[in-house]
């Protein structure tokens, strides 16, 4: 029997420069589609697009804290956002490949 209350969930642990720890969930449909759109639509590959996608990724956390693009603009540079998106893509790929 499948029991979702006992199923182990995987999270991506992120420690921000200010010391906050964020546990990000695997994406649901809406965020997954935003990731695909970002990859495929080169017009989204600008600083504002990176900020928005980074905010969406970080906001899908277990504590419910919502990150805004404006907040991340103060916190992240372009390399930080690219690293976040790259690591998140690796996290998703690992989740998809794991049969359990």
């Amino acid at each position: 029997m499948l029991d979702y209350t006992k199923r182990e969930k995987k999270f991506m642990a992120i420690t921000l420069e200010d010391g906050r720890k964020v546990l990000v969930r695997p994406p649901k449909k809406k965020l997954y589609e935003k990731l695909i759109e970002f990859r495929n639509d080169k017009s989204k590959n600008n600083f504002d697009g990176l900020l928005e996608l980074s905010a969406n990724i970080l906001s899908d956390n277990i504590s419910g804290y919502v990150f805004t693009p404006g907040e991340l603009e103060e916190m992240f540079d372009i390399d930080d956002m690219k690293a976040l998106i790259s690591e998140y893509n690796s996290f998703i790929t690992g989740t998809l490949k794991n049969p359990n």
Side-chain angles (χ1 to χ4, degrees):
M1 176 173 101
L2 179 58
D3 184 348
Y4 280 99
T5 63
K6 297 186 187 220
R7 188 170 167 266
E8 182 181 335
K9 290 275 193 173
K10 306 249 187 300
F11 299 98
M12 180 178 164
I14 301 169
T15 303
L16 301 175
E17 285 186 356
D18 62 6
R20 284 186 288 172
K21 296 189 186 313
V22 181
L23 291 177
V24 177
R25 298 177 178 95
K28 292 185 175 133
K29 184 178 187 271
K30 187 175 179 180
L31 180 53
Y32 190 75
E33 287 174 345
K34 285 181 182 185
L35 285 162
I36 299 300
E37 180 183 358
F38 184 82
R39 279 189 218 153
N40 295 334
D41 186 351
K42 297 302 177 199
S43 70
K44 304 256 185 213
N45 286 301
N46 55 42
F47 203 86
D48 289 334
L50 287 168
L51 281 170
E52 183 179 335
L53 184 57
S54 296
N56 284 314
I57 290 169
L58 287 174
S59 293
D60 193 17
N61 61 71
I62 64 169
S63 68
Y65 184 83
V66 177
F67 289 86
T68 65
E71 179 181 9
L72 294 186
E73 186 174 8
E74 298 297 318
M75 188 183 319
F76 285 170
D77 62 27
I78 196 164
D79 287 335
D80 295 331
M81 290 182 288
K82 286 183 173 183
L84 171 65
I85 293 166
S86 176
E87 287 295 317
Y88 191 65
N89 278 321
S90 296
F91 169 66
I92 293 167
T93 302
T95 300
L96 291 173
K97 289 181 180 178
N98 185 353
N100 297 322

